[in-house]
Amino acid sequence: MKKISYFSLLFFIISHAIFAQSIDASFSQKKMRKDLELFKNIRVTTNSGLYKYRTSQEIDSIYNWAAKQINNSSTYRDFYNIISQLTDFEGSLHNDTSMSEKLNQSLKTEKSGYFPYPVKWIEGKWIMNYENEKIPLGSEIISINNEKIEVVIKDLYKYYTTDGINKTGKQIGLNYSFSRYYRLNYGLTETFSVIYKEANSNTTSQITLESLSYKNYYINVENRFSKPFDEVNYKNWNDNDIYSYKSIDKFTGILTINDFGMGNEEDQKHLKYVSFLDSIFTTIKKNDIKNLIVDVRYNGGGTDPNDLVTYSYLTDRNFSENKQAWISFNKIPHLKYIESNVPSFLRFLGVGKYNKWFQKEFYIEKENHFYQGPLSEDRKIRKPNKQAFKGEVYLLISPRIASAGSLFASMVAGNSNTTVIGEETMGGYYGHNGHTPFTYILPNSKISTSFSIVNLEQDVPKKENQIYNRGIIPDFNVNQTFEDYLNQKDTQMDFTRDLIKKNLKE
């Protein structure tokens, strides 16, 4: 009987140790330093985007900062935040930092400590995006727990990566996961002292809000006021929602492309899409449509060659996917730590074929970089389609646009017949890191760090209004107004249609 009690107690202790794990648990500085050293070595040897937007001095400086931060750190959350800051600093929307799945699941079971309501960025202000009796809908948040909202937002930017120093794209993540990010940065918080101003008022009010569980916060997110309008930023597109075309009058049509994830040349989805493009552009030409609105505001990327095939219907020039592309290695570094189901001591057996592919594709060595050769499919010269549109293009963009979506939008924005309307994209105009994702697992913290290894220079012209370390900059910067937010109206589409009418009159 005593033996049974002993093992029952032991099982309880072990179970408690496993299931009570938290990101706020202690984590030794020794383990932090070992993982930080490996993290830096991985980035230097494997990540071609490390110095894309940052000088070597800037990278050295932030790693010196990280080392000093460890001296003042004691928890897993502290270290996770250091790695998140380093990941974001590089400036690539394909960068990602994730804690272990066990700890990620532990967040979802937390019963309190979360800010209760979703917020949203509208007209330069962070507002309450939930109808409730505590804080009126649309009220501007001034501060939370004596921290100005501008400071809070800046602290949370590191959890949602974008290209270069782009900030608009980070709003996509903050609008949805503000409370989760707040918890990661500030820890569990039982109450929140909020100073706010009601809409159209200069008077501030203060209220104390009780925290919610992780689960209940996301229930509120699903019931946010703006969901009918902005769910397009977060949804997984059904096949029949991905693309569409409609004429709105005898002069103007709207082509909407919400995703380029339609497979490669042999995929039936791709073939169906190509047939759709050929059909609608034949109709556009036959009907002598003068103005084409190309709406890619909710296009987060996808697969080649869907973006390139689409562009062939919107250009009069020969083009290629990129001007150049390179990686940092010719043999995969740090194989022991790469994410894989294969035991580390066996990985050398299967890695040979991957190394051979890299060496074949990126065979031109220059200054420790390995460049694609001119015969690569990515460097292939493509021609305009015979049915290519020759009228005025009005390109609608938003912070959601990324990866293949931003490559396509950049190429269209570079055309002389294109007017770009909306908000700066999270994806860069001149290039990005993409194509091939790698994930490494840091051995002590089990933090996974992901990035794409191919440094791409996109085939776009230089333009005065396009900045190297930013997203695509619109010719007309148009944000949803507060009034249109309340009425769930599309400010950008309305602006575009009014602009077309004005241009037709002129």
Side-chain angles (χ1 to χ4, degrees):
M1 187 69 179
K2 287 183 179 180
K3 184 179 289 187
I4 294 173
S5 298
Y6 171 78
F7 282 112
S8 297
L9 178 61
L10 180 62
F11 177 79
F12 172 79
I13 293 170
I14 293 173
S15 299
H16 185 73
I18 292 172
F19 293 109
Q21 284 187 3
S22 163
I23 64 169
D24 297 305
S26 61
F27 189 64
S28 77
Q29 292 181 355
K30 183 178 180 180
K31 290 181 178 179
M32 292 185 197
R33 292 191 182 95
K34 285 184 176 181
D35 275 6
L36 176 63
E37 181 181 9
L38 175 61
F39 179 85
K40 183 178 181 181
N41 287 336
I42 288 170
R43 311 310 269 206
V44 170
T45 57
T46 317
N47 184 8
S48 63
L50 181 61
Y51 303 109
K52 191 176 184 74
Y53 301 112
R54 303 294 185 179
T55 66
S56 58
Q57 290 82 5
E58 288 174 321
I59 293 297
D60 288 344
S61 178
I62 197 168
Y63 275 95
N64 288 336
W65 165 85
K68 292 177 181 177
Q69 282 294 109
I70 287 177
N71 294 333
N72 301 315
S73 300
S74 60
T75 68
Y76 184 96
R77 181 171 63 84
D78 292 334
F79 185 63
Y80 176 78
N81 284 332
I82 291 171
I83 297 298
S84 294
Q85 191 70 60
L86 294 172
T87 303
D88 180 56
F89 186 74
E90 292 173 9
S92 174
L93 61 85
H94 288 112
N95 282 5
D96 186 52
T97 291
S98 302
M99 64 189 72
S100 70
E101 184 57 26
K102 185 181 293 184
L103 287 177
N104 190 47
Q105 290 300 320
S106 77
L107 291 179
K108 297 179 181 180
T109 65
E110 290 177 332
K111 302 301 184 184
S112 64
Y114 287 79
F115 188 82
Y117 303 118
V119 298
K120 188 175 177 67
W121 188 92
I122 293 288
E123 292 191 324
K125 301 173 182 178
W126 288 94
I127 66 169
M128 181 61 54
N129 190 24
Y130 190 84
E131 293 185 279
N132 66 94
E133 71 282 1
K134 303 286 186 180
I135 302 177
L137 175 70
S139 295
E140 178 187 0
I141 307 299
I142 305 299
S143 68
I144 300 176
N145 287 346
N146 299 316
E147 196 77 82
K148 289 183 178 179
I149 191 65
E150 295 86 355
V151 175
V152 172
I153 295 300
K154 186 177 180 181
D155 285 343
L156 306 189
Y157 273 160
K158 60 180 171 282
Y159 301 116
Y160 201 90
T161 57
T162 56
D163 280 350
I165 59 170
N166 167 263
K167 297 294 187 295
T168 60
K170 295 177 181 295
Q171 295 161 10
I172 301 296
L174 286 166
N175 287 344
Y176 196 85
S177 292
F178 174 83
S179 186
R180 183 178 188 272
Y181 295 164
Y182 191 101
R183 185 266 182 272
L184 292 175
N185 191 74
Y186 295 102
L188 292 169
T189 307
E190 289 307 312
T191 60
F192 300 89
S193 176
V194 181
I195 295 178
Y196 65 93
K197 286 195 296 188
E198 293 188 34
N200 302 315
S201 172
N202 291 320
T203 303
T204 60
S205 302
Q206 185 169 359
I207 191 172
T208 298
L209 302 175
E210 296 294 324
S211 68
L212 291 183
S213 67
Y214 178 103
K215 180 180 178 180
N216 285 334
Y217 165 72
Y218 278 104
I219 289 174
N220 284 348
V221 169
E222 286 302 304
N223 291 299
R224 66 192 183 280
F225 176 78
S226 64
K227 182 179 178 179
F229 181 82
D230 66 13
E231 181 64 10
V232 285
N233 283 314
Y234 310 103
K235 70 183 295 183
N236 293 317
W237 296 99
N238 297 320
D239 289 352
N240 60 343
D241 292 331
I242 294 177
Y243 50 85
S244 64
Y245 174 79
K246 67 177 180 179
S247 295
I248 54 177
D249 57 43
K250 65 179 181 178
F251 300 110
T252 306
I254 302 175
L255 172 63
T256 301
I257 312 164
N258 293 318
D259 190 74
F260 284 125
M262 294 171 276
N264 60 24
E265 290 92 338
E266 299 175 358
D267 195 291
Q268 286 301 313
K269 289 183 181 180
H270 167 78
L271 296 174
K272 182 180 178 182
Y273 178 59
V274 171
S275 177
F276 160 80
L277 289 175
D278 189 64
S279 174
I280 64 113
F281 276 97
T282 298
T283 301
I284 286 171
K285 191 172 186 177
K286 179 181 178 181
N287 293 340
D288 196 25
I289 295 293
K290 304 294 185 183
N291 306 290
L292 181 62
I293 300 171
V294 179
D295 187 356
V296 289
R297 285 176 292 174
Y298 311 113
N299 194 315
T303 50
D304 293 336
N306 301 294
D307 48 355
L308 304 173
V309 170
T310 311
Y311 181 65
S312 73
Y313 285 89
L314 295 166
T315 187
D316 60 1
R317 70 179 178 97
N318 293 342
F319 64 97
S320 60
E321 180 170 357
N322 60 63
K323 293 180 179 178
Q324 67 173 18
W326 59 274
I327 61 177
S328 298
F329 58 88
N330 63 358
K331 291 183 179 179
I332 299 174
H334 301 288
L335 193 61
K336 178 180 178 181
Y337 303 105
I338 206 162
E339 184 180 56
S340 173
N341 292 325
V342 178
S344 59
F345 66 91
L346 292 177
R347 292 177 189 175
F348 74 95
L349 296 174
V351 76
K353 65 178 181 180
Y354 296 105
N355 285 334
K356 286 179 181 178
W357 183 87
F358 285 122
Q359 290 161 12
K360 181 179 178 181
E361 180 74 5
F362 299 91
Y363 64 88
I364 301 174
E365 184 175 358
K366 186 167 53 178
E367 298 179 348
N368 297 319
H369 298 163
F370 299 89
Y371 288 82
Q372 270 182 338
L375 299 181
S376 168
E377 185 70 15
D378 294 347
R379 301 290 301 282
K380 172 183 174 183
I381 301 300
R382 300 171 182 267
K383 297 180 180 297
N385 191 280
K386 293 179 181 179
Q387 303 297 333
F389 180 70
K390 301 184 185 302
E392 296 297 317
V393 174
Y394 294 83
L395 179 68
L396 268 59
I397 63 172
S398 83
R400 181 68 184 89
I401 296 176
S403 195
S406 57
L407 184 147
F408 168 79
S410 296
M411 297 176 85
V412 177
N415 291 346
S416 59
N417 65 333
T418 297
T419 300
V420 186
I421 299 164
E423 302 170 74
E424 179 186 347
T425 65
M426 75 166 81
Y429 174 79
Y430 289 104
H432 67 281
N433 261 63
H435 285 307
T436 307
F438 271 25
T439 299
Y440 287 90
I441 307 295
L442 302 180
N444 294 294
S445 61
K446 304 303 178 187
I447 288 174
S448 68
T449 175
S450 304
F451 50 91
S452 288
I453 63 170
V454 183
N455 194 320
L456 307 171
E457 181 184 345
Q458 293 167 184
D459 184 13
V460 296
K462 288 186 177 181
K463 298 188 73 174
E464 288 186 5
N465 69 322
Q466 301 299 340
I467 304 167
Y468 175 68
N469 61 353
R470 297 273 298 277
I472 304 165
I473 308 298
D475 299 310
F476 292 92
N477 191 62
V478 180
N479 303 297
Q480 189 180 41
T481 65
F482 183 74
E483 182 179 353
D484 285 352
Y485 159 76
L486 293 178
N487 293 305
Q488 306 283 5
K489 291 181 64 178
D490 190 340
T491 308
Q492 294 164 348
M493 184 61 78
D494 290 347
F495 176 92
T496 303
R497 295 181 67 166
D498 288 343
L499 180 63
I500 291 171
K501 289 176 183 178
K502 177 183 175 183
N503 290 342
L504 285 172
K505 288 180 181 178
E506 293 177 353

